[in-house]
Amino acid sequence: MPTIKDIAKAAGVSPASVSRVINNGPKVGAKTREKIKRIMGEMEYQPNANAQAINVQNNASIGIVLADLTDPLFAKMAHGIEKVAAQKDLQIFLNSGAFDQTSELNAIEVLLEHRYKALVVHSAMIDDKTLIEFARKVPGLVLLNRHIKEIESRCIWLDDKAGGGLMAEHIVEQGHKKIAIIAVDGIQNNTRHRIEGMKAQLAKYPVHYQIEVLEQGAATYEGGEVAVQNLLARGVEFSAILAYNDAIAVGAVSMLKAHGLSVPDDVSVVGFNNLILAQCMKPKLTTIHNPIEEMAMKATELALRLSKGEGTDVASFSIEEHQYTPELVIRQSVKRID
Amino acid sequence: MPTIKDIAKAAGVSPASVSRVINNGPKVGAKTREKIKRIMGEMEYQPNANAQAINVQNNASIGIVLADLTDPLFAKMAHGIEKVAAQKDLQIFLNSGAFDQTSELNAIEVLLEHRYKALVVHSAMIDDKTLIEFARKVPGLVLLNRHIKEIESRCIWLDDKAGGGLMAEHIVEQGHKKIAIIAVDGIQNNTRHRIEGMKAQLAKYPVHYQIEVLEQGAATYEGGEVAVQNLLARGVEFSAILAYNDAIAVGAVSMLKAHGLSVPDDVSVVGFNNLILAQCMKPKLTTIHNPIEEMAMKATELALRLSKGEGTDVASFSIEEHQYTPELVIRQSVKRID
DNA sequence: ATTTCATCGTCAATGCTTTTCCCTGTGCCT
DNA sequence: AGGCACAGGGAAAAGCATTGACGATGAAAT
């Protein structure tokens, strides 16, 4: 693999000139430029990006850390980031965190070692304090789908409380009084916020609601199945299920059917995220729309701006731009009861 | 951000010693080692990965290029690669190709510029010749989900012909004679191979089959919907649909229902890929299992081996290890007719 | 013909780490 | 005590490209 020196020698010029041609710099005459270009082509020269990155302080790539790409929600995040990157002709370095603290930390560290200036991180497991420290150290770091008060100007997040509220509101307005909530365990704050939101909403009505919160390990289709099985086995009474996400909701529906219960006739189900899955299934799933792709795009743009030292003035911070609002999408999986 | 020199100065040693500590090299006494480590911690030193990569020929990362992460099939690929990477403690540099030729090329080029030695590329748009050339140039490049005869020892692919054959076989054994095929357009070979496989299978029977092949642009849920709409509008007769993938199949089912046709009572539908989607929907989708995750893992391991110069002997090549076989998964979307 | 000034290029320093080669001191053997 | 092996450590080159300061060349201006 030829280096810049080889090209220079072959073209009878100095490495500096070659470098200037590579970077479309000035100070190289049209003729020389052509010649150098030709030789670069002939010798199949490819600049060593690592060597370039040593010198240039402005690494034109975005580092991102995500948990698990097989979760369509995270895939959508990735897609949002990609869209911004492609549009600005930037590269993405993706590092998968795999949902445990040490590998998430490791992922961030790797990104820092590569001197990426703009970082979009989606961390579910790292504690606030550590993240705050990272944020202080790295100006271009933005947290996606997480809200830490101390550095909220560096966060893009969903109003999970409002999301929980919407779910509860919809359900009780349809007359439901016995509600099962399928949450997920772990340190994840959004599950907690949503439940808080639900409870806060329910507290607004002068009715007594029967609530059962079930913490279910896996936020997946199978998780939804076992959650319902669990509920039924324990004889919990419920006419509505509020699920942590669409996958769980779909799993729940499937298991309810397996037990001869119809959705929405016997049990109403509400999902969360509004993934494509929610539209495909039968009955179409009533769910909460999560504008994660827009959020991801926003986070990316923010990270890029911050990494360039722009928009550092905290004065310009407005919650409206950083906190996204979920929306109720009514389809067919909820039925009014009396 | 401190450099190795800063650390060296602070510790009163030479950069060489610090480097040796970083890389767990020899020639540093226990006491000095401890001291250097301490100082590195205190000063929050992080080695510059780019500078490291200049010297070290063996870049311990895997470069991958994929098209669109929002397609669950590709997400599964990514996951397979990740699994291998995590297990070997390697990083992934992901570059999204976005399904057009120039950006796919660009993605590969970027990876080469970063001097990644092990490359897993999933390219749908680049022509054979270009890929063959890349393969020749880069020993550690492996093609995932694609078969190019000339470099098949560097490919991991699915036997699409067999997949098409399975679909056709199943359908005709259930008595169907009027078959609509929803394919996708583009240079993608797998669509073509599958159709070839279907036709070859049908040719084995002494019956005349009525086949309609519809090339539908988007391999998505919506694509499936418009495809069916198209078929119905043109008055094409069919009792079975063979779809290019599960998403199309699900879209097709939805549109059939919208026209008052029941699946599988009026029309049978077969998908492809066996994504989670296929299990969730109602009726559960009969489909072809695509072991893409295993394939991705295999491709990654192969790329790593090749990048280390191992397994270069073409003699050891066996098709069985490189070509994966799809399997029929019978669920509820196909019905016997007479 | 001489000065002036763009224009085109080169030299050498820079960025950060690794690695080769060489030096020093210590302990051990004879 | 002399010689040797060896562990611990340093100096400097190597690895690849960028960049700022400076030099040469030729044409235009006086």
Side-chain angles (χ1 to χ4, degrees), chain B residues 243-304:
Chain B
Y244 175 71
N245 68 13
D246 291 342
I248 289 182
V250 175
V253 169
S254 145
M255 188 50 73
L256 288 167
K257 277 192 190 152
H259 281 81
L261 293 166
S262 149
V263 175
D265 292 333
D266 300 317
V267 179
S268 290
V269 175
V270 182
F272 204 107
N273 284 345
N274 192 26
L275 300 179
I276 185 88
L277 182 63
Q279 297 170 46
C280 299
M281 67 162 301
K282 185 82 183 151
K284 297 196 176 192
L285 190 65
T286 290
T287 187
I288 304 291
H289 180 67
N290 182 348
I292 192 70
E293 201 167 329
E294 296 166 45
M295 288 165 61
M297 295 178 67
K298 178 80 180 189
T300 312
E301 277 159 6
L302 180 59
L304 287 169

Coordinates of all heavy atoms in Angstrom, one line a residue, chain B residues 243-304:
Chain B
A243 N -44.0 -13.9 -1.5 CA -43.5 -12.6 -1.3 C -42.0 -12.6 -1.2 O -41.4 -13.6 -0.7 CB -44.1 -11.9 -0.1
Y244 N -41.4 -11.5 -1.5 CA -39.9 -11.4 -1.4 C -39.4 -11.4 0.0 O -38.4 -11.9 0.3 CB -39.4 -10.1 -2.1 CG -37.9 -9.9 -1.9 CD1 -37.0 -10.7 -2.6 CD2 -37.5 -8.9 -1.1 CE1 -35.7 -10.6 -2.4 CE2 -36.1 -8.7 -0.9 CZ -35.2 -9.6 -1.6 OH -33.9 -9.4 -1.4
N245 N -40.2 -10.8 0.9 CA -39.8 -10.9 2.3 C -41.1 -10.8 3.2 O -42.2 -10.6 2.7 CB -38.8 -9.9 2.7 CG -39.3 -8.4 2.6 OD1 -40.5 -8.2 2.5 ND2 -38.4 -7.5 2.6
D246 N -40.8 -10.9 4.5 CA -42.0 -10.9 5.4 C -42.7 -9.6 5.4 O -43.9 -9.6 5.5 CB -41.4 -11.2 6.8 CG -40.9 -12.7 6.9 OD1 -41.3 -13.5 6.1 OD2 -40.2 -12.9 7.9
A247 N -42.0 -8.5 5.3 CA -42.7 -7.2 5.4 C -43.7 -7.1 4.2 O -44.8 -6.7 4.4 CB -41.6 -6.1 5.3
I248 N -43.2 -7.5 3.1 CA -44.1 -7.4 1.9 C -45.3 -8.3 2.2 O -46.4 -8.0 1.9 CB -43.4 -7.8 0.6 CG1 -42.4 -6.8 0.2 CG2 -44.3 -8.1 -0.5 CD1 -41.6 -7.1 -1.0
A249 N -45.0 -9.5 2.7 CA -46.1 -10.5 2.9 C -47.1 -9.9 3.9 O -48.3 -10.0 3.7 CB -45.5 -11.8 3.5
V250 N -46.6 -9.2 4.9 CA -47.6 -8.7 5.9 C -48.4 -7.5 5.3 O -49.6 -7.4 5.5 CB -46.8 -8.2 7.1 CG1 -47.7 -7.5 8.1 CG2 -46.1 -9.3 7.8
G251 N -47.7 -6.7 4.5 CA -48.4 -5.7 3.8 C -49.5 -6.2 2.9 O -50.6 -5.7 2.8
A252 N -49.1 -7.3 2.2 CA -50.0 -8.0 1.3 C -51.3 -8.5 2.0 O -52.4 -8.3 1.6 CB -49.3 -9.1 0.5
V253 N -51.0 -9.1 3.1 CA -52.1 -9.7 3.9 C -53.1 -8.5 4.3 O -54.3 -8.6 4.2 CB -51.6 -10.4 5.2 CG1 -52.7 -10.7 6.1 CG2 -50.8 -11.6 4.8
S254 N -52.5 -7.5 4.7 CA -53.3 -6.3 5.2 C -54.2 -5.8 4.1 O -55.4 -5.6 4.2 CB -52.4 -5.2 5.7 OG -52.9 -4.0 5.4
M255 N -53.6 -5.7 2.9 CA -54.4 -5.2 1.8 C -55.4 -6.1 1.3 O -56.5 -5.8 0.9 CB -53.4 -4.8 0.6 CG -54.0 -4.0 -0.5 SD -55.0 -2.6 0.0 CE -53.7 -1.4 0.4
L256 N -55.1 -7.4 1.3 CA -56.1 -8.4 1.0 C -57.3 -8.3 1.9 O -58.4 -8.3 1.4 CB -55.5 -9.8 1.1 CG -54.4 -10.2 0.0 CD1 -53.7 -11.4 0.4 CD2 -55.1 -10.3 -1.4
K257 N -57.0 -8.2 3.2 CA -58.1 -8.1 4.1 C -58.9 -6.8 3.8 O -60.2 -6.9 3.9 CB -57.5 -8.0 5.5 CG -57.2 -9.3 6.1 CD -56.9 -9.2 7.6 CE -56.4 -10.5 8.1 NZ -55.5 -10.3 9.3
A258 N -58.3 -5.8 3.5 CA -59.0 -4.5 3.2 C -59.9 -4.7 2.0 O -60.9 -4.0 1.8 CB -58.0 -3.4 2.9
H259 N -59.6 -5.7 1.1 CA -60.5 -6.0 0.0 C -61.4 -7.1 0.3 O -61.9 -7.7 -0.6 CB -59.6 -6.3 -1.2 CG -59.1 -5.0 -1.9 ND1 -58.0 -4.4 -1.5 CD2 -59.5 -4.3 -3.0 CE1 -57.7 -3.4 -2.2 NE2 -58.7 -3.3 -3.2
G260 N -61.5 -7.5 1.5 CA -62.5 -8.5 1.9 C -62.0 -9.9 1.6 O -62.8 -10.9 1.7
L261 N -60.7 -10.1 1.4 CA -60.2 -11.4 1.1 C -59.5 -11.9 2.4 O -58.8 -11.2 3.0 CB -59.2 -11.4 0.0 CG -59.8 -11.0 -1.4 CD1 -58.7 -10.7 -2.4 CD2 -60.6 -12.2 -1.9
S262 N -59.8 -13.1 2.7 CA -59.2 -13.6 4.0 C -58.0 -14.5 3.7 O -57.8 -15.1 2.7 CB -60.3 -14.5 4.7 OG -59.7 -15.5 5.4
V263 N -57.0 -14.4 4.6 CA -55.8 -15.2 4.5 C -55.9 -16.1 5.7 O -56.1 -15.7 6.8 CB -54.5 -14.3 4.6 CG1 -53.3 -15.2 4.7 CG2 -54.5 -13.3 3.5
P264 N -55.7 -17.4 5.5 CA -55.4 -18.1 4.2 C -56.7 -18.6 3.5 O -56.5 -19.3 2.5 CB -54.6 -19.3 4.7 CG -55.2 -19.6 6.1 CD -55.7 -18.4 6.6
D265 N -57.9 -18.3 3.9 CA -59.0 -19.0 3.3 C -59.2 -18.6 1.8 O -59.4 -19.5 1.0 CB -60.3 -18.6 4.0 CG -60.3 -19.2 5.4 OD1 -59.7 -20.3 5.6 OD2 -60.9 -18.6 6.4
D266 N -59.0 -17.4 1.5 CA -59.1 -17.0 0.1 C -57.8 -17.0 -0.7 O -57.7 -17.4 -1.8 CB -59.8 -15.6 -0.1 CG -61.2 -15.6 0.6 OD1 -61.9 -16.6 0.3 OD2 -61.5 -14.6 1.3
V267 N -56.8 -16.5 0.0 CA -55.5 -16.4 -0.6 C -54.4 -16.9 0.4 O -54.5 -16.6 1.6 CB -55.1 -15.0 -1.0 CG1 -53.7 -14.9 -1.6 CG2 -56.1 -14.4 -1.9
S268 N -53.5 -17.7 -0.1 CA -52.4 -18.2 0.8 C -51.2 -17.3 0.6 O -51.0 -16.8 -0.6 CB -52.0 -19.6 0.4 OG -53.0 -20.5 0.9
V269 N -50.4 -17.0 1.6 CA -49.3 -16.1 1.5 C -48.0 -16.8 2.1 O -48.1 -17.4 3.2 CB -49.6 -14.8 2.2 CG1 -48.3 -13.9 2.1 CG2 -50.8 -14.1 1.5
V270 N -46.9 -16.7 1.4 CA -45.7 -17.2 2.0 C -44.7 -16.0 2.0 O -44.6 -15.3 1.0 CB -45.1 -18.3 1.2 CG1 -43.8 -18.8 1.8 CG2 -46.1 -19.4 1.0
G271 N -44.0 -15.8 3.1 CA -43.0 -14.8 3.3 C -41.6 -15.3 3.1 O -41.4 -16.4 2.6
F272 N -40.7 -14.5 3.5 CA -39.3 -14.9 3.4 C -38.5 -14.2 4.5 O -38.7 -13.0 4.6 CB -38.7 -14.6 2.0 CG -37.5 -15.5 1.7 CD1 -37.6 -16.5 0.7 CD2 -36.3 -15.3 2.3 CE1 -36.6 -17.3 0.4 CE2 -35.2 -16.1 1.9 CZ -35.3 -17.1 1.0
N273 N -37.6 -14.9 5.2 CA -36.7 -14.4 6.2 C -37.0 -14.9 7.6 O -36.1 -15.0 8.4 CB -36.6 -12.8 6.2 CG -35.8 -12.3 5.1 OD1 -35.1 -13.1 4.4 ND2 -36.0 -11.0 4.8
N274 N -38.3 -15.1 7.9 CA -38.7 -15.5 9.2 C -38.2 -14.6 10.3 O -37.6 -14.9 11.3 CB -38.1 -16.9 9.5 CG -38.7 -17.5 10.7 OD1 -39.8 -17.2 11.1 ND2 -38.0 -18.4 11.4
L275 N -38.6 -13.3 10.1 CA -38.3 -12.3 11.2 C -39.4 -12.5 12.3 O -40.4 -13.1 12.1 CB -38.4 -10.9 10.6 CG -37.3 -10.7 9.5 CD1 -37.5 -9.3 8.9 CD2 -35.9 -10.9 10.0
I276 N -39.1 -11.8 13.3 CA -40.0 -11.9 14.5 C -41.5 -11.4 14.0 O -42.5 -12.0 14.5 CB -39.5 -11.0 15.6 CG1 -40.4 -11.1 16.9 CG2 -39.4 -9.5 15.2 CD1 -39.9 -12.2 17.7
L277 N -41.5 -10.5 13.2 CA -42.7 -10.0 12.6 C -43.6 -11.2 12.1 O -44.9 -11.1 12.3 CB -42.4 -9.2 11.3 CG -43.4 -8.5 10.5 CD1 -44.2 -7.5 11.4 CD2 -42.8 -7.8 9.3
A278 N -43.0 -12.2 11.5 CA -43.8 -13.3 11.0 C -44.5 -14.1 12.1 O -45.6 -14.6 11.8 CB -42.9 -14.2 10.2
Q279 N -43.9 -14.1 13.2 CA -44.6 -14.8 14.3 C -45.7 -14.0 15.0 O -46.6 -14.5 15.6 CB -43.6 -15.1 15.4 CG -42.5 -16.0 15.0 CD -41.4 -16.1 16.1 OE1 -41.7 -16.2 17.3 NE2 -40.2 -15.9 15.7
C280 N -45.5 -12.7 15.0 CA -46.4 -11.8 15.7 C -47.7 -11.7 15.0 O -48.8 -11.5 15.6 CB -45.8 -10.5 15.9 SG -44.3 -10.5 16.8
M281 N -47.7 -11.6 13.7 CA -48.9 -11.3 13.0 C -49.9 -12.4 13.0 O -49.7 -13.5 13.4 CB -48.5 -10.9 11.5 CG -48.1 -12.1 10.7 SD -48.2 -11.7 9.0 CE -49.9 -11.3 8.9
K282 N -51.1 -12.0 12.6 CA -52.2 -12.9 12.6 C -52.8 -12.9 11.2 O -53.2 -11.9 10.7 CB -53.2 -12.4 13.6 CG -54.4 -13.2 13.9 CD -54.1 -14.3 14.9 CE -55.3 -15.1 15.0 NZ -55.6 -16.3 15.3
P283 N -52.9 -14.0 10.5 CA -52.4 -15.3 10.9 C -50.9 -15.4 10.9 O -50.3 -14.7 10.2 CB -53.0 -16.2 9.8 CG -53.0 -15.4 8.6 CD -53.4 -14.0 9.1
K284 N -50.4 -16.2 11.8 CA -48.9 -16.4 11.8 C -48.4 -16.8 10.4 O -49.0 -17.6 9.7 CB -48.5 -17.4 12.8 CG -48.9 -17.0 14.2 CD -48.2 -17.8 15.3 CE -48.5 -17.2 16.6 NZ -47.7 -17.7 17.7
L285 N -47.4 -16.2 10.0 CA -46.9 -16.3 8.6 C -46.1 -17.5 8.3 O -45.1 -17.7 9.0 CB -46.1 -15.0 8.2 CG -45.8 -14.8 6.8 CD1 -47.0 -14.6 6.0 CD2 -44.8 -13.6 6.6
T286 N -46.5 -18.2 7.3 CA -45.6 -19.3 6.8 C -44.5 -18.6 6.0 O -44.8 -17.7 5.2 CB -46.5 -20.2 5.9 OG1 -47.4 -21.0 6.7 CG2 -45.5 -21.2 5.2
T287 N -43.3 -19.0 6.3 CA -42.2 -18.3 5.7 C -41.0 -19.2 5.5 O -41.0 -20.3 5.8 CB -41.9 -17.0 6.5 OG1 -41.0 -16.2 5.8 CG2 -41.4 -17.4 7.9
I288 N -39.9 -18.6 5.0 CA -38.7 -19.3 4.8 C -37.7 -18.7 5.8 O -37.5 -17.5 5.9 CB -38.1 -19.1 3.4 CG1 -39.1 -19.5 2.3 CG2 -36.8 -19.8 3.2 CD1 -39.4 -20.9 2.2
H289 N -37.1 -19.6 6.6 CA -36.2 -19.2 7.6 C -34.8 -18.8 6.9 O -34.3 -19.6 6.2 CB -35.9 -20.2 8.7 CG -34.9 -19.8 9.7 ND1 -35.2 -18.8 10.6 CD2 -33.7 -20.2 10.0 CE1 -34.1 -18.6 11.4 NE2 -33.2 -19.4 11.0
N290 N -34.3 -17.7 7.3 CA -33.1 -17.2 6.7 C -32.1 -17.0 7.9 O -32.2 -16.1 8.7 CB -33.3 -15.8 6.1 CG -32.1 -15.2 5.4 OD1 -31.0 -15.7 5.6 ND2 -32.3 -14.2 4.6
P291 N -31.1 -17.9 7.9 CA -30.2 -17.9 9.1 C -29.2 -16.8 9.0 O -28.0 -17.0 9.1 CB -29.6 -19.3 9.0 CG -29.5 -19.5 7.5 CD -30.7 -18.9 6.9
I292 N -29.6 -15.6 8.8 CA -28.7 -14.5 8.5 C -27.8 -14.2 9.7 O -26.6 -13.8 9.4 CB -29.5 -13.2 8.1 CG1 -28.6 -12.2 7.5 CG2 -30.3 -12.7 9.3 CD1 -28.1 -12.5 6.1
E293 N -28.2 -14.4 10.9 CA -27.4 -14.0 12.0 C -26.2 -15.0 12.0 O -25.0 -14.6 12.2 CB -28.2 -14.1 13.3 CG -27.5 -13.3 14.4 CD -28.4 -13.1 15.6 OE1 -29.7 -13.0 15.4 OE2 -27.9 -13.0 16.7
E294 N -26.4 -16.3 11.9 CA -25.3 -17.2 11.8 C -24.4 -16.9 10.7 O -23.2 -17.0 10.8 CB -25.8 -18.6 11.6 CG -26.7 -19.2 12.7 CD -27.4 -20.5 12.2 OE1 -26.8 -21.3 11.6 OE2 -28.7 -20.6 12.4
M295 N -25.0 -16.5 9.6 CA -24.2 -16.2 8.4 C -23.3 -15.0 8.7 O -22.1 -15.0 8.4 CB -25.1 -15.9 7.2 CG -25.8 -17.1 6.6 SD -27.2 -16.7 5.5 CE -26.3 -15.8 4.3
A296 N -23.8 -14.1 9.4 CA -23.1 -12.9 9.7 C -21.9 -13.2 10.6 O -20.8 -12.8 10.5 CB -24.0 -11.8 10.3
M297 N -22.2 -14.1 11.6 CA -21.1 -14.5 12.5 C -20.0 -15.2 11.7 O -18.8 -15.0 11.9 CB -21.7 -15.4 13.6 CG -22.7 -14.6 14.5 SD -23.4 -15.7 15.8 CE -22.0 -16.0 16.8
K298 N -20.5 -16.1 10.9 CA -19.5 -16.9 10.1 C -18.7 -15.9 9.3 O -17.4 -16.1 9.2 CB -20.3 -17.8 9.2 CG -19.5 -18.6 8.2 CD -18.9 -19.8 9.0 CE -18.0 -20.6 8.0 NZ -17.6 -21.8 8.7
A299 N -19.3 -15.0 8.6 CA -18.6 -14.1 7.8 C -17.6 -13.3 8.6 O -16.4 -13.1 8.1 CB -19.6 -13.1 7.1
T300 N -17.9 -12.9 9.8 CA -17.0 -12.1 10.6 C -15.8 -13.0 11.0 O -14.7 -12.5 10.9 CB -17.7 -11.7 11.9 OG1 -19.0 -11.1 11.5 CG2 -16.9 -10.7 12.6
E301 N -16.1 -14.2 11.4 CA -15.0 -15.0 11.7 C -14.0 -15.3 10.5 O -12.8 -15.2 10.7 CB -15.5 -16.4 12.3 CG -15.8 -16.2 13.8 CD -16.8 -17.3 14.2 OE1 -17.1 -18.2 13.4 OE2 -17.2 -17.2 15.4
L302 N -14.7 -15.5 9.4 CA -13.9 -15.7 8.2 C -13.0 -14.4 7.9 O -11.8 -14.6 7.6 CB -14.8 -16.0 7.0 CG -14.1 -16.2 5.7 CD1 -13.2 -17.4 5.7 CD2 -15.2 -16.4 4.6
A303 N -13.6 -13.3 8.0 CA -12.9 -12.1 7.7 C -11.7 -11.9 8.7 O -10.6 -11.5 8.3 CB -13.8 -10.9 7.8
L304 N -11.9 -12.2 9.9 CA -10.8 -12.1 10.9 C -9.7 -13.1 10.6 O -8.6 -12.7 10.6 CB -11.4 -12.4 12.3 CG -12.2 -11.2 12.8 CD1 -12.9 -11.6 14.1 CD2 -11.4 -10.0 13.1

